[in-house]
Amino acid sequence: DIQMTQSPSTLSASVGDRVTITCRASQSISSWLAWYQQKPGKAPNLLIYKASSLESGVPSRFSGSGSGTEFTLTISSLQPDDFATYYCQQYNSYPWTFGQGTKVEIK
Amino acid sequence: QVQLQESGPGLVKPSGTLSLTCAVSGDSISSSNWWSWVRQPPGKGLEWIGEIYHSGSTNYNPSLKSRVTISIDKSKNQFSLRLTSVTAADTALYYCARRGPVKLTIDYWGQGTLVTVSS
């Protein structure tokens, strides 16, 4: 299985901050990486697919980059609605696997 | 608008069988999508269980493969999950989801249903 490792596990930030979350794969996954946002009691919501493609309806302050084994999710200016847990997921090879999550908290 | 809705017992006894159904609306189960199950233990991360195509082709997580069956019912536009020999470690929020042919990753999720394994 491909292991996905996110850092940090928890991030404290203020509204307006630029936030970056890193996801590393245990082997190359090309650009087959997605990012999801999950709020308490809700299903995950797709933000980014194929490493850098923005899902329809997702604010442009979210962006993704990377290829191979290292990827980043950036929120350019953190908004109150963005406090949530973020997961990366690889879909290069079965079984699909997720990172352990990064919780973005209010500082 | 695509909607998925899970249903099934919320409580299953240890060593029993967990059975869930996902009703799909706004899309045909026979379209070019893979239909997936993902679970999340309380307070923990996400685990992909497996998926099925309308042809009946399946892919399963090897960690669960010996206990999992995913099936499809085209007449009811729904698909199902069966997990046998459950233990407390199978207690989780179970999501059904759609993996589309363009983005190739999960783009629609059900709201999730909590299944507790307890006597």
Side-chain angles (χ1 to χ4, degrees):
Chain A
D1 297 6
I2 297 176
Q3 282 207 325
M4 306 301 293
T5 304
Q6 290 182 232
S7 59
S9 295
T10 305
L11 187 161
S12 296
S14 302
V15 172
D17 283 353
R18 182 181 181 88
V19 166
T20 299
I21 299 169
T22 298
C23 177
R24 289 187 174 87
S26 61
Q27 63 189 74
S28 177
I29 57 170
S30 185
S31 295
W32 301 115
L33 184 100
W35 289 98
Y36 295 90
Q37 177 193 67
Q38 187 178 35
K39 295 181 180 179
K42 299 291 187 182
N45 181 50
L46 179 64
L47 299 175
I48 302 284
Y49 62 96
K50 209 174 178 188
S52 60
S53 296
L54 190 68
E55 171 68 341
S56 175
V58 174
S60 59
R61 63 181 179 272
F62 290 92
S63 64
S65 65
S67 66
T69 61
E70 188 150 339
F71 302 86
T72 59
L73 173 70
T74 300
I75 309 172
S76 61
S77 178
L78 198 65
Q79 298 302 300
D81 192 46
D82 302 338
F83 291 97
T85 299
Y86 294 84
Y87 292 94
C88 61
Q89 180 236 330
Q90 67 82 20
Y91 51 107
N92 179 77
S93 59
Y94 291 109
W96 309 144
T97 48
F98 294 85
Q100 82 279 14
T102 295
K103 186 174 183 180
V104 177
E105 298 180 327
I106 300 172
K107 192 172 185 179
Chain B
Q1 167 185 351
V2 180
Q3 292 187 315
L4 301 98
Q5 179 67 58
E6 305 89 350
S7 62
L11 182 64
V12 181
K13 286 183 166 47
S15 77
T17 297
L18 180 159
S19 296
L20 296 174
T21 296
C22 180
V24 178
S25 59
D27 195 2
S28 170
I29 203 88
S30 297
S31 59
S32 301
N33 298 301
W34 286 84
W35 303 98
S36 307
W37 290 96
V38 176
R39 70 180 183 179
Q40 185 172 36
K44 296 189 178 180
L46 299 159
E47 180 181 33
W48 178 77
I49 298 170
E51 62 183 9
I52 189 166
Y53 198 64
H54 62 77
S55 63
S57 181
T58 53
N59 295 300
Y60 296 130
N61 193 322
S63 67
L64 297 168
K65 189 173 184 176
S66 64
R67 300 193 291 130
V68 170
T69 303
I70 297 176
S71 58
I72 201 161
D73 187 336
K74 295 178 189 178
S75 67
K76 294 182 179 179
N77 215 47
Q78 65 186 31
F79 62 107
S80 299
L81 170 69
R82 189 169 176 267
L83 182 66
T84 61
S85 304
V86 297
T87 69
D90 295 310
T91 293
L93 195 56
Y94 284 78
Y95 294 101
C96 62
R98 186 192 88 164
R99 185 166 76 88
V102 174
K103 297 160 197 168
L104 300 178
T105 191
I106 292 174
D107 55 2
Y108 285 94
W109 298 71
Q111 65 185 24
T113 188
L114 178 63
V115 179
T116 302
V117 178
S118 175
S119 56

